Amino acid sequence: MARIAYILLCHKDPEGIIAQARRLTAAGDFVSIHFDGRAKQADFDRIRESLSTNPSVTFTTRRAKCGWGEWSLVEATLLAVEAAVEAFPRATHFYMLSGDCMPIKTAEFAHAFLDREEVDYIESFDFFNSDWIKTGIKDERLIYRHWFNERTHKTLFYASMTWQKKLGLQRKVPADIQMQIGSQWWCLRRRTVEWILEFVRRRKDVMRFFRTTWIPDETFFQTLVRHLVPEHEIRTRTLTFLMFTDYGIPVTFYNDHYDLLLSQDYLFARKISPDAKDLKDRLGKLYVARNVRFSISNEGRSLYKFLAGRGRIGRRFAPRFWENEGSLGRERTLMMVTCKKWHVAKRMVERVRKVTNLPALDYLFNEGSTPLPDLGGIQSNLEKRTRHRRALVRMLFDYWQTDKLIFCIDPANVDLMQDFYNDKAKVRLLEIECDFTDDYLIGHATRVGLAGEQTPQETIDRLLPTIRYDVKFESDRIRDAGFPNFHRIRQSGSVDENTVALADFLDIPVEKAREIAATEYLYVD
């Protein structure tokens, strides 16, 4: 059975560290602690004294002074790994943790999970070809030597890079290794850890290289594991659940996140707020519990993105310079059909095509699979369509040699609607207002990743009012925008009422509008 040696890097909260070590070792696992050399000696002494009688806890032989982005973080990790390998010969896995991490599964579950496959868990993506780095310097992390910390000596950090560039001091990555990058929160088998320690002793050239790279804790272990371990024995993922805000700041979890954390497909989570005493207490008791069943739905990231996005809606698509003067054409009429139930809008435009012979498209800017003619590549993906939206629509007018065109658009895309209304062409908008049952909204939540088959009913019950409000919110935004030539038909409306709105929107005879409005299957889910 798996037994885990936790590599615990910490620099504060001695009482929390003591409690963490006691919780983890109570279930038969081990802890190797590195306490930052910059932290107070008194705090370290208190930790060491409190845990001195626990045979499942060990400490590093020395304490490195750690700085964010520096080699010292890797050095501290290696010190803790070496101490764990020597002190705990029965440990089968080594799991990297920080003082802000807490278990979100039982030890029983974690051991069974690790026994399931003979693999290592570590994110390792190609450094140069992946898009793992979202902001800041990239290649410069490796090809220049970094002796200064960007956070504490910003001027020296960038001046050093500038002079190295001017003097042509760019260096090469060691020829026989392929640089990888990923999260620093990993779980490795004993054999892999021993291979890494042997590599460290043998390859001084590689060690010299990494000592002056920037943020090596995101590249060192990731590169060495990929270099030493067969690919089929690596799972490119972390077992620690963490999220980041739009600004790259780690999301902090509080007392009311307990149920959400337990439903994620991970063993630990970070960051747990120091003030979340109740959450820490519940998770600590959970780790040593037995026979606990977990309903894993794994909707945490999509749920956070959904909820955090409410109230942040602004103008995402600024006008491009080539579109400010570009127009669809003064004599042309663009008609947009918006509906949250996409299948309803698609049926509507299909009926419009058959009854009126007007060119009508499905969700042009929301669905990559929407059939389009070949327009030289501008139609090839959603990003291009959105970026060159007016040019694309202008080309569609030309392709069908028409002065009237219809397409569907999601109600959330008020910014796109506004952009087309800013054009010199005549623009009309039709909203199809549907009824939403709880079953439909649950299905919608599943389709967009807010819920899964295993999502607990109590989570769904809490989520439903938010989703229902979100649908209403999108409709209210459209009305608040005050678009001219705005029309609406309703699922609850009569055929006569909807006929009048369709006739005005499409500018067609009432008889043809009635034929469309009377479509029996239009609103069927």
Side-chain angles (χ1 to χ4, degrees), residues 145-170:
R145 297 164 180 82
H146 299 279
W147 298 285
F148 305 102
N149 191 299
E150 192 263 352
R151 290 191 170 184
T152 57
H153 299 91
K154 187 181 291 287
T155 301
L156 291 172
F157 179 88
Y158 287 104
S160 171
M161 273 203 307
T162 299
W163 278 106
Q164 288 181 72
K165 185 176 182 180
K166 287 182 178 179
L167 297 172
L169 298 179
Q170 178 176 325

Side-chain angles (χ1 to χ4, degrees), residues 246-517:
D246 293 343
Y247 306 102
I249 300 172
V251 173
T252 301
F253 298 108
Y254 297 92
N255 289 333
D256 55 350
H257 286 125
Y258 180 81
D259 292 327
L260 180 142
L261 292 176
L262 263 60
S263 66
Q264 305 312 306
D265 187 21
Y266 295 86
L267 304 184
F268 279 74
R270 73 178 306 267
K271 291 182 154 185
I272 309 297
S273 169
D275 299 321
K277 306 295 185 184
D278 182 57
L279 177 61
K280 287 188 172 184
D281 183 60
R282 295 178 73 185
L283 292 176
K285 292 176 180 177
L286 173 73
Y287 188 70
V288 296
R290 299 187 66 83
N291 301 319
V292 178
R293 295 180 62 86
F294 296 93
S295 296
I296 298 175
S297 53
N298 213 34
E299 78 284 1
R301 286 192 174 89
S302 55
L303 182 60
Y304 174 81
K305 183 178 180 181
F306 171 73
L307 294 175
R310 304 308 93 192
R312 284 193 182 186
I313 299 174
R315 186 173 177 82
R316 289 180 291 165
F317 300 100
R320 269 62 177 186
F321 71 90
W322 63 83
E323 292 179 335
N324 289 338
E325 297 302 322
S327 173
L328 306 181
R330 291 183 183 274
E331 306 305 318
R332 286 171 167 170
T333 301
L334 178 65
M335 292 171 274
M336 296 181 287
V337 177
T338 186
C339 181
K340 199 62 183 178
K341 291 186 177 181
W342 288 10
H343 60 279
V344 174
K346 290 178 181 180
R347 289 173 190 158
M348 171 66 71
V349 298
E350 175 62 23
R351 288 294 292 157
V352 170
R353 279 194 293 264
K354 290 182 178 179
V355 173
T356 67
N357 288 322
L358 288 172
L361 296 153
D362 292 344
Y363 282 83
L364 178 61
F365 298 105
N366 304 104
E367 236 180 353
S369 59
T370 298
L372 289 172
D374 186 357
L375 301 173
I378 193 174
Q379 83 294 339
S380 60
N381 58 61
L382 290 177
E383 183 182 1
K384 282 187 177 181
R385 294 180 202 173
T386 303
R387 188 188 313 136
H388 308 297
R389 52 197 172 277
R390 290 199 198 179
L392 173 66
V393 173
R394 199 162 54 237
M395 293 170 75
L396 290 170
F397 272 111
D398 294 338
Y399 178 85
W400 278 299
Q401 297 182 353
T402 181
D403 58 1
K404 290 185 177 181
L405 180 68
I406 304 169
F407 66 75
C408 302
I409 187 168
D410 190 86
N413 294 138
V414 177
D415 38 21
L416 278 182
M417 299 175 195
Q418 184 65 65
D419 190 61
F420 283 114
Y421 263 103
N422 291 338
D423 194 84
K424 298 173 184 177
K426 302 169 187 174
V427 181
R428 300 175 193 162
L429 179 64
L430 173 71
E431 181 186 15
I432 305 176
E433 188 178 285
C434 297
D435 299 332
F436 293 93
T437 64
D438 285 352
D439 287 342
Y440 177 85
L441 292 176
I442 292 171
H444 173 70
T446 301
R447 286 189 293 275
V448 300
L450 295 176
E453 293 181 2
Q454 302 299 321
T455 301
Q457 185 60 44
E458 55 268 26
T459 301
I460 291 175
D461 292 340
R462 290 197 302 269
L463 194 58
L464 271 177
T466 304
I467 299 174
R468 189 176 295 280
Y469 172 78
D470 193 60
V471 172
K472 182 178 182 300
F473 172 74
E474 290 177 351
S475 179
D476 288 344
R477 284 186 68 218
I478 293 173
R479 299 178 195 184
D480 292 343
F483 294 130
N485 300 315
F486 174 63
H487 308 271
R488 183 182 301 110
I489 64 173
R490 298 180 175 87
Q491 181 175 351
S492 58
S494 67
V495 171
D496 287 341
E497 290 172 335
N498 291 339
T499 295
V500 173
L502 281 171
D504 289 343
F505 172 68
L506 296 169
D507 193 18
I508 58 175
V510 172
E511 294 77 15
K512 288 191 174 184
R514 181 179 295 277
E515 186 178 348
I516 298 170

